[in-house]
Amino acid sequence: MNRMKNLQILFFILFAGLVVYLMSFLIFKRTDVLNNVYNPRKFEISGKILDEKGKVIAKTKYFDDKEMQETLRRRDYPMENLFAHIVGDVSKSGQVLGVETKYRNEFVNNNILSRLKGILLSEPVAGNNVVLTVDSNVQRIASSALGNKKGAVIAVEPSSGKILAMVSKPDFDPNDLILDPQNNSGSAKKKYEKKIKQYIEEGAFLNRAMQGVYEPGSIFKVVTALAAMRKVPEWNNYTVESTGIKEFIEDEQKIKVSEYDKKAHGTVDMKQAMTVSSNIYFATLGKTIGAKNFKKVVDEFSFNDRIEIDRLKTAQAFVLRKDQSEKEVINASYGQGKDLVTPMHMVKFVSTIANGGYMMKPYIVDRIESPKGDVLQKNLPKVEKEAMTWEETQALTEMMVNVVEEGTGKKAQIKKVKVAGKTGTAENPHGDDHAWFVGFAPAQKPKIAIVVFVENGGSGGKVAAPIAKKIMKTVLDSE
Amino acid sequence: MEKLREIFNLFAPYVNTIVIIAFVYELLCFMKEKNDIEQRQTTNGVHWRSHSLRQLLAWTLFFHLFSFATLFLNRIEFFKESTKQFYQFGLFFGLSLASLFFLLIIGKVLFKRGETWLLYPMLILIDIGYIMIYRLRPSWAMKQLQWLAIGLVFLFFIPILFKYIHKISRVKWFTIGLSIMLVILTLAIGKEINGSKNWLGFGFIQFQPSELIKILFVFFVSIVAAETTEYRKLVVPGALAGLLLLLFVLQKDLGSVLIFSSTLFVMMYAAGQKKRYIYSLIGLEALGAGISYLLFSHIRRRVAAWMDPWQDVLDVGYQVAQGLFGIASGGWIGTGLMLGMPRKIPIVETDYMFAAICEELGAIFGIGIIIIYLIIVYQIIRTASRKTDTVLRGILVGFACMTATQAFVIIGGVIKLIPLTGVTLPFISYGGSSFVSNLLMMGLIMYFTMPQHAVEEEVRIYE
C-alpha cells in the first residue's frame, strides 16, 4: 500500500518541518526577539558594563530595605552623562537603544555552579560583564572638548575598528531614568516624568553620532577625490581655475557654485584645491566624474545604507540616492546638495584611508566576561573588505596632511605629529553652517581616526578642528 | 524551605528536558518492538506486556510528582495565607492522578486488544495539560478534570452504540445531515468567541459543534470514499462536504476549514480515490483561499501578522509577537514552572498553550510533544494500512488525521510557520469540546482496532 506509506511520509515531513522551524527560530532569531523593546519580560540584570580598562560604566547596586525586609536593587551609572548614548535609555519608553538594552541577555549568568553558590550562600548572583572598546579617558576629553555645543564626536582605532569614544550632545544622565525603588511616592514619579519630558524636548535622546543625518559639506571632497582617482585618468594633472564664482549649465538649469567668501584661488590642482577647500574645483571635478560613476564609488562606503555596529544600527545615509542627475552630482561633489550622512559614515570612511585601504568593521563591544574575568565571548577585529588601494590612501593622506599643515585645518596641528584631516563648513536650511572635521594621526601608522561634528557650529576650521586636535593629542600622548 | 525552592527551580529545567527526552525515547523503543512483533505475526491486537509501556507510565508519574512539587514550593507563601487554595491544590493533585489512572484502566478494559498503547502518550499529554492549566489559571484546572470525566463517560457509550449500528454504512446520510444542520444552527444562534462563530450554548453548557462534527464527518467520508470511485456517485456527497466547509468559512472558523479539508484529502487518498479528483479539490481550495484573502479583512490581518508581526507589535501582530517572546524567553530548556511570564501571552490556556510550554518547560520539551503527535499519527496510519476493510481504514486514518492536523495547525501558527488559526492543542489545551472529542476519537480508534473488527485476513504490511 504505497499510498499509506506516502501519507506517513507526508506527516513526517510536516512535523519535521515544525521541529526544524522551531529550532532555527531559537538559533537565529532568539536574541533579537528577546531584546525587542516590546518584550514585557524585563528581567533584572546584575552584570556590569566596563570600559576597555575595566572602569565601571554601569552596575547594579544592592541595598537593604529595612521596612520591607528585602534586598532591593537598582541599576547605577557612576559616570553619569559620560556614556549616555552608549548605555542607552532604560526607561519604559526606551527612546535610545544602547548596550544596556541590546545586550540584556548577555548579562545573565547561567552558570549552574554560580547560581548554586548564590543560592547556598544567599548572595545575589553576579551577572556577566560586557566589556566595551571605549576608553573613558578619551571619552571624557571628547565630551569636555565638545562642551555645551550640540553635536557628536567619534574616535576610532583604524587598525582594528574599535570605537574609542562616541559622544553625542545634548546628552542625559541614565541615572535619571531609573525609578528609585525606595521612593515610590507620587511626587517622585512626577519628577521622573518631568525629567524625561525635558530630555525629549531638548533632543537629548538622539544619538547624533549614529542617528543624526546632516549635510556633510566640504569633508565630502575627500570622497570626491577618491572617485576622481578611479574614474578620471589624468586626475593628477587635473586643474581648474577658480575665480570665486562659477556657473554651470546642466539640463538647461543654471547652477552657481561659489567659493567660501567668494575667494578666488586661481588655478589649482587637486592637492591645492583640497588644502584651500575649493568648491569650484570639486564641483567641476564632479561633473567630469559623472553621476553614475560617483554613485558607484559612494555606494562602496555605505553612503546609501545603514552601518551596523554590533547590535546597533545607524540611520540611513543618502548620497545621490533620490536624485542622480548630472546637476545633483555637481552639488554632491563639494558636499552640498540633497545629501545626508551620519558622523559614523564619515569616520568609517577616513578610518579606511588611515588603515591603508582596509575597511575594518567598527565595533563597540569587545567581549563578554564572567564575573571572575573568564572570557565567554570575544569580538575580534574584522576586515570588511579591501576598499582602497595603497596608492589611493597615500595620495589622499598626502593631501589631507597638507590641509592641516597649510590649509583650512591649521587648528588641528599637533606639535611633532603629522596630522591628516579635512574641514567642512556645511550650509544647511536649519541655521548656521555645520562645523565638521575628519582626520587621523599620525599620518603614517595612524593610531586614531576621528570625526567631529558641531551642529550649526560655524566654520569647521575654527570650531571643529581644535576639538579634534585636543582629542587626538590626548590619545597620542597616552601612548 | 526558601533554599529548597531555589535549588528546585535551578534544576527544574534540566529535569523537565530529561523527562521528555526519556519519554520520547521509550515511546520509540515501544514502536520498534511493536512493529517487530507485527512483522512476524499477521494478527495484531496481541495483548503484549511491554517494559517500555511501563517505563512510559513511570516517567509520566515522575513528571507529575516533580511538577506538582515545583508548583507547591513556588506557591508555598500563597498557600500559607490561603489554606483553601492549599486544599484545592492537594485535591487537584490527587484527583488528576486518579483521573489518569481511571482513563488507563477504563481504556484497557473497554478496548481490550485494540491499540490501547495510545493511552500512554495520551496520559502524558493530558498530564502536561493539567499541570500547565493549573499553573496558568488554577480555577480552570478542576474544570479540565470534569471534562475528562465527561469524556470517560462518553467512552463507555462507544461499545454500546456500535452494538446497535451493525453496518456503519447505514449512518451515511445521517452524519452529513446532522453536521450541516448543526453548523446552520450555530450560524443562526451561535456565539462568536475570538473571531469565529462556532459556539453553541444551552444554559450554562457551551460547546463547539465543530468538534462533534469532526467525528460525524470522518464516518461520512470513510463510507462514501469506500463505496465508489465513480464521479457520478461522488458528486452529491462531495457537494455536501463542500457545503459544510463553506458554512465553516461563513462562521469564520478557518481552523476547521483547514483541518476538515486536510482530513478529507487524506481520507480520499487512503481510500484509493482517483488522484485527479483530490488534486482538483486541493486546487479549488487554494483558489477559495485566495478569494477569501481578497474578500475578508480578518484573513488579511492574520496573514499580515504571520508575515511580519514586528511591524505592528501592539495591534495586528500582538498575539504572534507575545507568543514568540515567550518561546524566546524559555530557550531550549525553559525557565522552569512558575518562573516565566506566560500569562503575558493572550489566550494562553487554550490556543497559545504551546508557547507557554516552550517558555517554562523549554523548546526541547515542545519538540518532544511534536514528536509524540507524529508518532501517534504515524503509527495509526501504519495500523490502518494493515486493514483490508476500506471503511475501517478510512475511519482510523480520518481520526488520526483530525488530531494530527489540529496539532500541526496550532503549533505551526504559534511558532509562525503558518498564519494563526483558532484551534487548540489536542489533550493539552484547556477546552471541553475539543478535549472530549479528541478523547472520543482516540477511543473510537482503539475500539475499531479490536480483533472482532478484523474482517478477512489481515494483510502483511507493505514493508
Side-chain angles (χ1 to χ4, degrees), chain B residues 7 59 109 114 119 215 218-219 283 305 337 340 356 393 411 413 415 439:
Chain B
I7 295 181
W59 281 111
V109 166
L119 290 163
I215 299 176
V218 165
F219 279 121
L337 281 172
R393 208 185 315 140
I411 296 177
I415 67 176
L439 264 175

PDB file of all heavy atoms in Angstrom, chain B residues 7 59 109 114 119 215 218-219 283 305 337 340 356 393 411 413 415 439:
ATOM      1  N   ILE B   7      16.806  25.818  44.772  1.00  0.00           N
ATOM      2  CA  ILE B   7      17.580  24.726  44.168  1.00  0.00           C
ATOM      3  C   ILE B   7      16.695  23.939  43.219  1.00  0.00           C
ATOM      4  O   ILE B   7      17.110  23.573  42.117  1.00  0.00           O
ATOM      5  CB  ILE B   7      18.183  23.818  45.256  1.00  0.00           C
ATOM      6  CG1 ILE B   7      19.187  24.607  46.067  1.00  0.00           C
ATOM      7  CG2 ILE B   7      18.806  22.587  44.645  1.00  0.00           C
ATOM      8  CD1 ILE B   7      19.861  23.818  47.161  1.00  0.00           C
ATOM      9  N   TRP B  59       7.636   7.411  33.838  1.00  0.00           N
ATOM     10  CA  TRP B  59       8.068   8.778  33.546  1.00  0.00           C
ATOM     11  C   TRP B  59       6.908   9.759  33.714  1.00  0.00           C
ATOM     12  O   TRP B  59       7.078  10.873  34.205  1.00  0.00           O
ATOM     13  CB  TRP B  59       8.633   8.879  32.126  1.00  0.00           C
ATOM     14  CG  TRP B  59      10.029   8.363  32.022  1.00  0.00           C
ATOM     15  CD1 TRP B  59      10.443   7.243  31.373  1.00  0.00           C
ATOM     16  CD2 TRP B  59      11.202   8.931  32.611  1.00  0.00           C
ATOM     17  NE1 TRP B  59      11.789   7.081  31.496  1.00  0.00           N
ATOM     18  CE2 TRP B  59      12.293   8.102  32.256  1.00  0.00           C
ATOM     19  CE3 TRP B  59      11.445  10.066  33.394  1.00  0.00           C
ATOM     20  CZ2 TRP B  59      13.595   8.374  32.652  1.00  0.00           C
ATOM     21  CZ3 TRP B  59      12.753  10.342  33.785  1.00  0.00           C
ATOM     22  CH2 TRP B  59      13.804   9.488  33.418  1.00  0.00           C
ATOM     23  N   VAL B 109      -9.740  -1.829  29.467  1.00  0.00           N
ATOM     24  CA  VAL B 109     -10.820  -2.801  29.607  1.00  0.00           C
ATOM     25  C   VAL B 109     -11.809  -2.695  28.452  1.00  0.00           C
ATOM     26  O   VAL B 109     -12.138  -3.680  27.803  1.00  0.00           O
ATOM     27  CB  VAL B 109     -11.542  -2.584  30.960  1.00  0.00           C
ATOM     28  CG1 VAL B 109     -12.854  -3.328  30.991  1.00  0.00           C
ATOM     29  CG2 VAL B 109     -10.639  -3.018  32.093  1.00  0.00           C
ATOM     30  N   GLY B 114      -7.331  -3.810  21.507  1.00  0.00           N
ATOM     31  CA  GLY B 114      -7.240  -2.800  20.448  1.00  0.00           C
ATOM     32  C   GLY B 114      -5.909  -2.069  20.607  1.00  0.00           C
ATOM     33  O   GLY B 114      -5.035  -2.504  21.361  1.00  0.00           O
ATOM     34  N   LEU B 119      -3.129   4.978  24.848  1.00  0.00           N
ATOM     35  CA  LEU B 119      -3.462   5.609  26.121  1.00  0.00           C
ATOM     36  C   LEU B 119      -2.228   6.193  26.791  1.00  0.00           C
ATOM     37  O   LEU B 119      -2.303   7.200  27.490  1.00  0.00           O
ATOM     38  CB  LEU B 119      -4.117   4.579  27.048  1.00  0.00           C
ATOM     39  CG  LEU B 119      -5.517   4.150  26.614  1.00  0.00           C
ATOM     40  CD1 LEU B 119      -5.911   2.854  27.314  1.00  0.00           C
ATOM     41  CD2 LEU B 119      -6.521   5.243  26.946  1.00  0.00           C
ATOM     42  N   ILE B 215     -16.241  14.021  14.182  1.00  0.00           N
ATOM     43  CA  ILE B 215     -16.444  12.577  14.249  1.00  0.00           C
ATOM     44  C   ILE B 215     -17.452  12.141  13.187  1.00  0.00           C
ATOM     45  O   ILE B 215     -17.226  11.175  12.447  1.00  0.00           O
ATOM     46  CB  ILE B 215     -16.920  12.180  15.661  1.00  0.00           C
ATOM     47  CG1 ILE B 215     -15.843  12.561  16.677  1.00  0.00           C
ATOM     48  CG2 ILE B 215     -17.249  10.703  15.729  1.00  0.00           C
ATOM     49  CD1 ILE B 215     -16.213  12.312  18.111  1.00  0.00           C
ATOM     50  N   VAL B 218     -15.899  12.180   9.663  1.00  0.00           N
ATOM     51  CA  VAL B 218     -14.991  11.077   9.354  1.00  0.00           C
ATOM     52  C   VAL B 218     -15.784   9.828   8.970  1.00  0.00           C
ATOM     53  O   VAL B 218     -15.455   9.140   8.004  1.00  0.00           O
ATOM     54  CB  VAL B 218     -14.048  10.804  10.540  1.00  0.00           C
ATOM     55  CG1 VAL B 218     -13.364   9.463  10.395  1.00  0.00           C
ATOM     56  CG2 VAL B 218     -13.010  11.897  10.651  1.00  0.00           C
ATOM     57  N   PHE B 219     -16.846   9.572   9.706  1.00  0.00           N
ATOM     58  CA  PHE B 219     -17.679   8.427   9.343  1.00  0.00           C
ATOM     59  C   PHE B 219     -18.241   8.589   7.940  1.00  0.00           C
ATOM     60  O   PHE B 219     -18.214   7.688   7.106  1.00  0.00           O
ATOM     61  CB  PHE B 219     -18.820   8.254  10.357  1.00  0.00           C
ATOM     62  CG  PHE B 219     -18.397   7.548  11.614  1.00  0.00           C
ATOM     63  CD1 PHE B 219     -18.519   8.160  12.852  1.00  0.00           C
ATOM     64  CD2 PHE B 219     -17.862   6.265  11.556  1.00  0.00           C
ATOM     65  CE1 PHE B 219     -18.121   7.504  14.016  1.00  0.00           C
ATOM     66  CE2 PHE B 219     -17.456   5.607  12.707  1.00  0.00           C
ATOM     67  CZ  PHE B 219     -17.589   6.237  13.946  1.00  0.00           C
ATOM     68  N   GLY B 283      -6.781  22.184  -5.529  1.00  0.00           N
ATOM     69  CA  GLY B 283      -6.696  23.408  -6.318  1.00  0.00           C
ATOM     70  C   GLY B 283      -7.872  24.324  -6.038  1.00  0.00           C
ATOM     71  O   GLY B 283      -7.714  25.534  -5.863  1.00  0.00           O
ATOM     72  N   ALA B 305      -0.065  39.469  10.102  1.00  0.00           N
ATOM     73  CA  ALA B 305       0.562  39.170  11.397  1.00  0.00           C
ATOM     74  C   ALA B 305       1.565  38.047  11.248  1.00  0.00           C
ATOM     75  O   ALA B 305       2.601  38.016  11.919  1.00  0.00           O
ATOM     76  CB  ALA B 305      -0.499  38.785  12.420  1.00  0.00           C
ATOM     77  N   LEU B 337       8.823  25.887  35.758  1.00  0.00           N
ATOM     78  CA  LEU B 337       7.439  26.251  36.054  1.00  0.00           C
ATOM     79  C   LEU B 337       7.387  27.430  37.021  1.00  0.00           C
ATOM     80  O   LEU B 337       8.173  27.507  37.955  1.00  0.00           O
ATOM     81  CB  LEU B 337       6.710  25.062  36.689  1.00  0.00           C
ATOM     82  CG  LEU B 337       6.225  23.973  35.728  1.00  0.00           C
ATOM     83  CD1 LEU B 337       5.714  22.791  36.513  1.00  0.00           C
ATOM     84  CD2 LEU B 337       5.142  24.523  34.823  1.00  0.00           C
ATOM     85  N   GLY B 340       8.548  31.848  34.413  1.00  0.00           N
ATOM     86  CA  GLY B 340       8.452  32.667  33.213  1.00  0.00           C
ATOM     87  C   GLY B 340       7.316  33.652  33.370  1.00  0.00           C
ATOM     88  O   GLY B 340       6.787  33.849  34.469  1.00  0.00           O
ATOM     89  N   ALA B 356       3.435  28.761  26.035  1.00  0.00           N
ATOM     90  CA  ALA B 356       3.678  28.708  27.479  1.00  0.00           C
ATOM     91  C   ALA B 356       4.545  27.501  27.818  1.00  0.00           C
ATOM     92  O   ALA B 356       5.435  27.574  28.671  1.00  0.00           O
ATOM     93  CB  ALA B 356       2.359  28.630  28.229  1.00  0.00           C
ATOM     94  N   ARG B 393     -10.288   1.356   7.439  1.00  0.00           N
ATOM     95  CA  ARG B 393      -9.048   2.081   7.201  1.00  0.00           C
ATOM     96  C   ARG B 393      -9.317   3.582   7.204  1.00  0.00           C
ATOM     97  O   ARG B 393      -8.590   4.365   7.795  1.00  0.00           O
ATOM     98  CB  ARG B 393      -8.451   1.666   5.853  1.00  0.00           C
ATOM     99  CG  ARG B 393      -6.958   1.804   5.842  1.00  0.00           C
ATOM    100  CD  ARG B 393      -6.332   1.529   4.520  1.00  0.00           C
ATOM    101  NE  ARG B 393      -6.827   0.358   3.841  1.00  0.00           N
ATOM    102  CZ  ARG B 393      -7.054   0.305   2.540  1.00  0.00           C
ATOM    103  NH1 ARG B 393      -6.819   1.358   1.798  1.00  0.00           N
ATOM    104  NH2 ARG B 393      -7.504  -0.794   1.974  1.00  0.00           N
ATOM    105  N   ILE B 411       0.358  24.472  16.437  1.00  0.00           N
ATOM    106  CA  ILE B 411       1.786  24.658  16.727  1.00  0.00           C
ATOM    107  C   ILE B 411       2.407  25.500  15.622  1.00  0.00           C
ATOM    108  O   ILE B 411       3.171  26.428  15.883  1.00  0.00           O
ATOM    109  CB  ILE B 411       2.513  23.303  16.861  1.00  0.00           C
ATOM    110  CG1 ILE B 411       1.961  22.543  18.058  1.00  0.00           C
ATOM    111  CG2 ILE B 411       4.011  23.512  17.014  1.00  0.00           C
ATOM    112  CD1 ILE B 411       2.541  21.167  18.240  1.00  0.00           C
ATOM    113  N   GLY B 413       0.976  27.719  13.825  1.00  0.00           N
ATOM    114  CA  GLY B 413       0.565  29.104  13.977  1.00  0.00           C
ATOM    115  C   GLY B 413       1.329  29.804  15.083  1.00  0.00           C
ATOM    116  O   GLY B 413       1.740  30.945  14.947  1.00  0.00           O
ATOM    117  N   ILE B 415       4.358  29.110  16.313  1.00  0.00           N
ATOM    118  CA  ILE B 415       5.761  29.362  16.009  1.00  0.00           C
ATOM    119  C   ILE B 415       5.922  30.165  14.725  1.00  0.00           C
ATOM    120  O   ILE B 415       7.031  30.421  14.278  1.00  0.00           O
ATOM    121  CB  ILE B 415       6.607  28.059  15.920  1.00  0.00           C
ATOM    122  CG1 ILE B 415       6.190  27.218  14.711  1.00  0.00           C
ATOM    123  CG2 ILE B 415       6.513  27.265  17.187  1.00  0.00           C
ATOM    124  CD1 ILE B 415       7.065  25.985  14.534  1.00  0.00           C
ATOM    125  N   LEU B 439     -10.588  12.765  22.848  1.00  0.00           N
ATOM    126  CA  LEU B 439     -10.664  11.529  23.634  1.00  0.00           C
ATOM    127  C   LEU B 439     -11.521  10.502  22.905  1.00  0.00           C
ATOM    128  O   LEU B 439     -11.164   9.335  22.768  1.00  0.00           O
ATOM    129  CB  LEU B 439     -11.331  11.825  24.987  1.00  0.00           C
ATOM    130  CG  LEU B 439     -10.446  12.090  26.187  1.00  0.00           C
ATOM    131  CD1 LEU B 439     -11.292  12.484  27.373  1.00  0.00           C
ATOM    132  CD2 LEU B 439      -9.616  10.863  26.514  1.00  0.00           C
TER     133      LEU B 439
END
